Amino acid sequence: MKRNVAIIGGGQTYHAARRHDVDQGEMVNEAVRAALKDARMTMDDIDAVFLGNMEFFEGTHLTDCWLAGSAGAYGKPGMKITTGGTVGATIIGAGMHHVAAGLFDKVLCIGFEKQEEGDTGAILSGVAHPLYGRSMAGAAVGYFAMMGTSYMAAWGAKEEHAAMVAVKARQNARKNQYAHLKLDITIEDALNSRMLAYPVRMLDMCPASNGACVVILGDEKTARDRCKKPVWIRAMDTAHNEQFEIDWRNVTLTKPIFSTACAARMYKRLGVDDPKKYFDVFEIYEPATWAEMVWYEDLGLCSRGEGFKLMEEGATAIDGPIPVNPSGGVLSTNCIGASAMLRVWEAALQIRGDAGGHQVPKEVNRALATAYGGTNWTVMTALSSSTED
Amino acid sequence: MNQKNTVTEQICVPMTVDVPYRFAAGKYMARFLTELRDNGRFVGVKCPSCNRVQMPPRVVCAACHVKNDEWVELSSEGTMVGFTIMYLPLTDPTTGKPHEPPFVYGSVRLDGSDSTVEHMVNVEPDLDKIWVGMRMKVVLRDREERIGDLSDIIHFEPLPGQKRPQ
């Protein structure tokens, strides 16, 4: 990177299924104010604003224009970014590139979603080709169900392993004051929850949440002058999969796909030999339980086909050796346009030691955040307490 | 006039956005769909560099960044790589009507293809009757009913005489 870039502040709303009390702008403004307060800044300090959400989820286009006032963007440079489920991380990536390149010193990044305002399944069906697959499109649940049957057949995992992920997420969420689904559930509860699409049950899926997240980025001089606990972005990378090839349904796949290719490139750049030792905590984008276990494998936290064993051992518990999603993750909160940014912000909070009730009980110096969106691509962010990494 | 900024009523307005589009299938998809409609055949393209057979056909092999121009015919039989029993009344976005649950659908790799295709499966929603690795065949509509999209496939059907692996 030409210039080092740090996360110098951030904030989020309380996430919930219903926010009829606010419009999109008022909701975004809550997170903007929280982030400015955290960074001890005002909008006058901010050079540029980058904002994004899911395309047309709220039935409105040009959300950057709609929200210019409440986002604080009026009269400032910046742009709207829309990359699907990854968008929150892509916004940070765009902000990071601008700061690293020296164009701006202080950038405000906003990801938001008012998911209740639209029909998620109907809008997502537009991701599928009109002549090839759209008639079956309409919900992510079927996709993750096929991932589940494929994963069980390939590796001998059981529905109980998915239930363990469901419980871990919601029990962690109970420690996170901002999380949406704070459920005191057991494995039996997860296994007895309503079947949506075999083997995916209600508690195997993320909720539809409303919420916003804001992260403020600064160059090294700003970070050292103004921020007590800057969290440094040491690397960001992205990789796409190709249209029509939904590789995660065939979970034995050995060729590189978006997730493994992206991780390999980032690890090489950072000199990571063993990611589970290099990083102290992970915040990954898991819209369904099965995806979490596949992520373990794609990130190299275990061998192919052993993700469910890692879960079974409790290795990824909040107090385990490889804590994954102490925040409760996407399974507990999914305001989609904010979800990938929340992964980065939650990872940054862990490094700052400011995660509160869901702070992992060990020293955290490095964290990895992933984003995930259709039709299968990722943005990964490596964070550190030091610029020496 | 209430001078305090207190909400007395929350207003949410329902609305529907119905937007017409006209979508060009393009050279590769059009050839694939006309082969399916007119001849009841599945065709793919083979990458000249990695030999990967891709279905539906597309202009570029994404992995190799080269143009695909060798066409190959694929089997109407294949192997199930993932399936689900759907219990939600999913709306078919192309018709606006729900698929009646429970129903089975899955992702099948046709013999000779490196890609998979997803469709309904004509089995009862029973885990003893559907599994990953099951051999399937495509059942198409009659020639005169086919219109040149994936709805020309009625469903996949298991090849006869298979026993669930233990």
Side-chain angles (χ1 to χ4, degrees):
Chain A
M1 261 187 277
K2 198 168 178 187
R3 300 204 301 170
N4 284 320
V5 180
I7 293 171
I8 57 172
Q12 59 187 303
T13 59
Y14 290 90
H15 308 292
R18 295 283 171 267
R19 284 302 307 272
H20 289 173
D21 58 316
V22 287
D23 71 359
Q24 294 163 41
E26 289 163 350
M27 187 181 76
V28 162
N29 193 253
E30 290 175 12
V32 170
R33 288 182 185 281
L36 289 169
K37 186 179 174 198
D38 179 71
R40 287 167 296 145
M41 287 180 159
T42 69
M43 272 320 292
D44 292 337
D45 296 315
I46 300 294
D47 300 329
V49 176
F50 293 75
L51 167 148
N53 63 316
M54 291 293 282
E55 217 159 352
F56 210 59
F57 260 45
E58 291 82 4
T60 52
H61 289 300
L62 302 176
T63 46
D64 51 333
C65 298
W66 278 64
L67 305 181
S70 49
Y74 176 72
K76 291 185 189 291
M79 64 179 86
K80 180 200 175 189
I81 290 168
T82 301
T83 63
T86 53
V87 63
T90 314
I91 297 161
I92 291 179
M96 189 270 283
H97 290 157
H98 279 79
V99 176
L103 286 168
F104 305 120
D105 293 337
K106 288 155 284 179
V107 165
L108 186 96
C109 302
I110 305 170
F112 79 92
E113 211 70 69
K114 268 201 102 188
Q115 227 189 127
E116 67 179 322
E117 297 198 358
D119 180 332
T120 301
I123 302 161
L124 282 180
S125 71
V127 175
H129 194 290
L131 298 170
Y132 196 93
R134 187 172 292 180
S135 71
M136 297 301 301
V141 60
Y143 172 78
F144 290 112
M146 286 192 274
M147 182 190 290
T149 53
S150 177
Y151 190 83
M152 285 191 287
W155 306 118
K158 305 284 182 209
E159 288 176 64
E160 284 77 4
H161 295 105
M164 290 174 197
V165 180
V167 171
K168 174 173 79 71
R170 280 46 172 270
Q171 291 292 350
N172 286 351
R174 291 178 69 213
K175 303 176 173 80
N176 175 2
Q177 60 174 321
Y178 297 103
H180 174 181
L181 289 186
K182 302 186 191 79
L183 304 176
D184 186 10
I185 55 166
T186 64
I187 287 171
E188 287 69 36
D189 294 332
L191 288 173
N192 290 326
S193 64
R194 184 161 72 98
M195 187 69 86
L196 305 178
Y198 174 84
V200 171
R201 294 169 184 276
M202 186 71 105
L203 288 169
D204 286 309
M205 281 304 290
C206 59
S209 315
N210 300 302
C213 181
V214 171
V215 164
I216 300 174
L217 306 177
D219 68 303
E220 184 160 359
K221 182 173 186 309
T222 304
R224 297 210 188 277
D225 286 352
R226 307 188 58 139
C227 182
K228 279 188 195 148
K229 291 185 273 189
V231 175
W232 303 96
I233 299 177
R234 301 313 299 149
M236 281 192 90
D237 216 321
T238 72
H240 279 79
N241 232 30
E242 70 180 299
Q243 192 190 16
F244 301 122
E245 304 293 336
I246 310 294
D247 288 331
W248 266 8
R249 280 179 201 164
N250 181 18
V251 295
T252 56
L253 207 81
T254 50
K255 72 169 184 175
I257 60 170
F258 69 104
S259 46
T260 54
C262 190
R265 204 159 51 209
M266 177 178 267
Y267 294 167
K268 189 177 174 193
R269 188 181 309 164
L270 292 169
V272 177
D273 290 327
D274 185 351
K276 66 180 179 294
K277 292 206 172 81
Y278 185 90
F279 295 103
D280 303 305
V281 66
F282 295 80
E283 277 285 339
I284 63 169
Y285 199 115
E286 32 47 297
T289 50
W290 297 99
E292 171 148 343
M293 294 183 279
V294 175
W295 267 124
Y296 296 167
E297 298 169 18
D298 286 357
L299 291 175
L301 306 183
C302 59
S303 304
R304 185 61 69 190
E306 300 205 323
F308 74 98
K309 294 177 187 164
L310 208 60
M311 188 63 233
E312 193 175 83
E313 291 160 11
T316 56
I318 194 166
D319 56 356
I322 319 167
V324 177
N325 288 12
S327 66
V330 179
L331 277 170
S332 304
T333 304
N334 194 18
C335 26
I336 308 183
S339 289
M341 191 176 289
L342 282 168
R343 304 283 68 72
V344 178
W345 174 234
E346 287 290 349
L349 285 172
Q350 291 287 343
I351 289 173
R352 285 182 12 173
D354 288 340
H358 60 288
Q359 181 71 39
V360 302
K362 67 172 182 179
E363 191 181 336
V364 178
N365 288 306
R366 297 181 185 131
L368 178 66
T370 73
Y372 174 42
T375 51
N376 273 353
W377 76 296
T378 187
V379 179
M380 295 186 185
T381 311
L383 301 175
S384 174
S385 60
S386 160
T387 52
E388 301 305 311
D389 288 336
Chain B
M1 186 81 188
N2 184 357
Q3 296 298 318
K4 286 183 189 164
N5 186 21
T6 52
V7 175
T8 52
E9 183 184 350
Q10 293 176 2
I11 298 174
C12 292
V13 184
M15 62 173 199
T16 301
V17 180
D18 193 349
V19 188
Y21 289 95
R22 181 167 291 273
F23 185 86
K27 294 188 187 77
Y28 280 68
M29 185 65 85
R31 179 163 168 187
F32 170 80
L33 293 172
T34 51
E35 280 283 355
L36 180 62
R37 182 191 63 198
D38 299 344
N39 304 314
R41 286 197 302 214
F42 290 93
V43 291
V45 285
K46 189 172 185 179
C47 170
S49 176
C50 70
N51 292 322
R52 190 169 61 115
V53 175
Q54 299 146 66
M55 190 190 87
R58 65 211 70 162
V59 61
V60 164
C61 172
C64 303
H65 305 291
V66 296
K67 189 171 181 184
N68 290 315
D69 50 16
E70 184 186 344
W71 289 74
V72 292
E73 186 175 345
L74 303 169
S75 172
S76 291
E77 296 181 2
T79 304
M80 181 69 70
V81 302
F83 70 92
T84 184
I85 303 171
M86 180 58 72
Y87 292 90
L88 298 172
L90 283 193
T91 303
D92 180 339
T94 61
T95 63
K97 297 193 175 79
H99 299 293
E100 273 307 311
F103 59 89
V104 180
Y105 75 101
S107 204
V108 170
R109 189 182 311 282
L110 295 181
D111 295 344
S113 173
D114 288 292
S115 310
T116 58
V117 57
E118 185 179 303
H119 220 286
M120 297 284 188
V121 185
N122 186 31
V123 294
E124 290 163 51
D126 176 348
L127 288 175
D128 285 330
K129 303 205 168 146
I130 179 79
W131 58 85
V132 171
M134 198 177 202
R135 294 287 297 161
M136 311 297 290
K137 67 173 181 186
V138 176
V139 179
L140 295 178
R141 292 186 197 284
D142 292 338
R143 169 67 191 86
E144 56 275 16
E145 287 179 12
R146 297 202 289 260
I147 58 169
D149 73 29
L150 275 200
S151 69
D152 290 347
I153 301 174
I154 302 172
H155 49 235
F156 295 114
E157 201 160 84
L159 290 173
Q162 298 183 73
K163 282 181 80 174
R164 192 183 212 288
Q166 292 310 305

